[in-house]
Amino acid sequence: MPIPVTMPRLSDTMEEGTLLKWNVAVGDKVSASDVLADVETDKATMELQTFDEGTLAKIAIDEGQTVAVGQVIAILAEAGESVEDAANADLGAPAPASAPGSAPASDAPADTSAPEPAPTATPSGATSGATSGATSGGGGKIKASPLARKLAEEHGVDLASLTGTGPDGRIIKRDILAAAKGATAPGNTPTTPAADSARSDAASAASSPAPAPLPVPTQLEDKTVPVSGMRKTIAKRLVESKTTVPHFQVSVAVAMDELMSLRSTINKQLESQGVKLSVNDFVTRAVALACLQHPEINSSWTGDAIQYHAAVNVGAAIALPAERGGGLVVAVIKHVESKGLRAISQEMKDLAGKARGRGLAPEEMADSTITLSNLGMPKYGVTQFTAIVNPPNAAIVAIGGALQKPVVRNGELGIGLEMNLTVSGDHRVIDGAMAAEYLTTLRGLLENPASLLV
């Protein structure tokens, strides 16, 4: 008998989802754990898997439509069942689907999650008749959907050379199509992280030419762009933070000459190993170590108590490009106080690349205790800014660029590298004096960067 596929509840607050992209077409054979579609929830873009085997007989919901949890979105035909009969089966009248981007914001508590990018568009109409028994050259079984195996045979793609972007590393349709086009799939591409905003090299910035101006359109146009459910969640979250958290800001200027010199020396020594530390890596570690001396900064407001955290989990705000839906996602590095610079650097690159590519898993965006926001890229030229507190964190650190400027050191005027740091704090948890003491410690660590190596 026909097997209905319904919109699942992919998060605890999800009431409806937007069908972003179908990864299969009518007539495709599917197996358990195959990814049928990409669904946008109120928190992230997630993959919709099937738990049954069969042939896709009908797609009931078009791409871009938003439907309630539990609504039938597709129908599978069982083995031996007519696809036409299954497609025409009466499984109940579906609930009305809303227009793209018209989903109302959930009344549930908002999350800082930002949308994952929709996968590369794939052609439809291919059918799969392959089995799932192929093995790699080493004898290990390759996880791949039947459709992916069929497409791999058609396009001459070696499955063993790919890293799957499906559940548990499973190779799926978009991986094959990307490889066939000469590109790598999201999971195989070393993407440039949005956190490269943290990778400002002040020495080269001072001597490098100004970035080329962006092309100016010859004519503007009136248009209305629907806001995704996740962008609405982000907006709701920011409004709640700004209107319910009593913000205050404290800033400090940090001499960066020694840190930039140390960083240059270390990077030259590690170049042969493919390691390149960023300014942000040093700042991330310093922020965590300073929290050990000022635990009130690494705490949260719970309503009737202040929660002090035993670990320093640093969240990094990563901006997603407009074509990915825009907005910010906060990637979290856990237990930073116990990690070295190399580990921090690699984890940040991995998380930022994943955020812009396949998207972050919920656990990779959870449990931050303090957040960093960095606009210090040379192309921006931002010297100082303030950031909005990321609840339930008590503080967020805004990082400007490390730039050459006239400075007075030891009573003499000269040229030096300075970087501005600004802490935005929740006044219910910390006050100005606490923030100033924390920044003093943080500045001391950055101005004496050898302490960050031990």
Side-chain angles (χ1 to χ4, degrees):
M1 61 181 296
I3 304 172
V5 179
T6 61
M7 177 64 72
R9 188 181 301 278
L10 297 173
S11 73
D12 54 352
T13 59
M14 179 179 172
E15 298 296 334
E16 55 190 3
T18 299
L19 201 299
L20 293 181
K21 183 66 184 177
W22 284 103
N23 295 319
V24 292
V26 172
D28 288 351
K29 295 183 184 298
V30 297
S31 302
S33 298
D34 280 356
V35 177
L36 298 184
D38 294 281
V39 175
E40 181 185 82
T41 72
D42 60 333
K43 292 186 175 182
T45 297
M46 305 181 72
E47 293 178 327
L48 187 156
Q49 300 180 40
T50 177
F51 299 99
D52 302 285
E53 294 188 359
T55 301
L56 186 62
K58 180 179 180 180
I59 291 177
I61 298 299
D62 293 332
E63 292 179 356
Q65 286 189 303
T66 300
V67 298
V69 170
Q71 179 174 334
V72 175
I73 60 175
I75 297 175
L76 298 180
E78 290 185 324
E81 183 179 13
S82 167
V83 171
E84 291 75 15
D85 291 345
N88 294 325
D90 182 10
L91 298 178
S98 58
S102 62
S106 170
D107 290 332
D111 192 277
T112 54
S113 304
E116 293 180 17
T120 304
T122 55
S124 61
T127 59
S128 172
T131 63
S132 58
T135 59
S136 65
K141 188 172 181 179
I142 298 174
K143 295 181 179 179
S145 68
L147 179 57
R149 295 181 185 279
K150 178 67 173 178
L151 291 175
E153 293 177 4
E154 294 176 354
H155 294 283
V157 175
D158 182 10
L159 291 174
S161 67
L162 301 181
T163 299
T165 61
D168 299 321
R170 188 182 184 89
I171 298 172
I172 57 178
K173 180 178 180 180
R174 65 176 176 224
D175 301 319
I176 303 300
L177 295 176
K181 292 177 182 178
T184 48
N188 303 310
T189 304
T191 25
T192 301
D196 274 349
S197 59
R199 285 144 173 74
S200 69
D201 188 336
S204 61
S207 58
S208 61
L214 296 175
V216 179
T218 57
Q219 184 177 355
L220 299 177
E221 61 176 326
D222 284 328
K223 62 180 180 179
T224 300
V225 179
V227 178
S228 68
M230 283 175 289
R231 190 66 190 246
K232 289 179 181 178
T233 299
I234 295 168
K236 181 179 179 181
R237 177 80 170 184
L238 292 174
V239 169
E240 288 178 347
S241 174
K242 197 63 177 177
T243 56
T244 63
V245 175
H247 282 63
F248 75 97
Q249 285 81 29
V250 179
S251 300
V252 68
V254 180
M256 296 291 288
D257 304 83
E258 289 192 30
L259 190 149
M260 298 302 289
S261 176
L262 177 63
R263 171 178 175 259
S264 178
T265 300
I266 293 175
N267 282 342
K268 287 180 181 178
Q269 294 174 347
L270 297 178
E271 185 176 3
S272 62
Q273 302 177 39
V275 176
K276 185 176 181 181
L277 302 178
S278 72
V279 174
N280 194 67
D281 299 329
F282 285 87
V283 175
T284 300
R285 177 158 168 77
V287 162
L289 294 181
C291 283
L292 297 181
Q293 299 184 48
H294 305 276
E296 64 276 358
I297 304 297
N298 192 56
S299 60
S300 302
W301 176 258
T302 65
D304 55 4
I306 296 175
Q307 175 68 48
Y308 290 83
H309 303 290
V312 185
N313 300 335
V314 178
I318 301 174
L320 300 178
E323 59 268 22
R324 303 299 194 188
L328 294 172
V329 61
V330 177
V332 181
I333 303 179
K334 310 291 177 61
H335 298 278
V336 177
E337 77 285 358
S338 61
K339 294 180 178 178
L341 289 168
R342 186 184 299 203
I344 292 170
S345 178
Q346 187 59 55
E347 192 166 348
M348 177 60 72
K349 289 175 182 176
D350 292 344
L351 288 172
K354 189 175 179 182
R356 295 187 55 150
R358 296 170 54 191
L360 297 170
E363 60 270 18
E364 294 170 327
M365 300 182 285
D367 302 326
S368 66
T369 61
I370 188 170
T371 306
L372 304 184
S373 182
N374 195 314
L375 290 176
M377 290 184 72
K379 70 176 183 178
Y380 293 146
V382 174
T383 59
Q384 184 174 349
F385 71 104
T386 62
I388 299 176
V389 171
N390 177 32
N393 297 173
I396 183 171
V397 181
I399 307 167
L403 305 175
Q404 284 188 337
K405 60 180 64 177
V407 296
V408 176
R409 305 267 173 83
N410 299 320
E412 295 183 358
L413 179 64
I415 301 296
L417 293 166
E418 276 195 355
M419 179 177 72
N420 288 311
L421 299 177
T422 300
V423 168
S424 295
D426 182 343
H427 224 319
R428 298 170 300 182
V429 180
I430 57 180
D431 55 34
M434 292 177 180
E437 291 171 357
Y438 173 77
L439 282 176
T440 299
T441 300
L442 179 56
R443 178 175 60 188
L445 290 169
L446 294 173
E447 292 185 344
N448 298 278
S451 60
L452 301 176
L453 303 181
V454 296

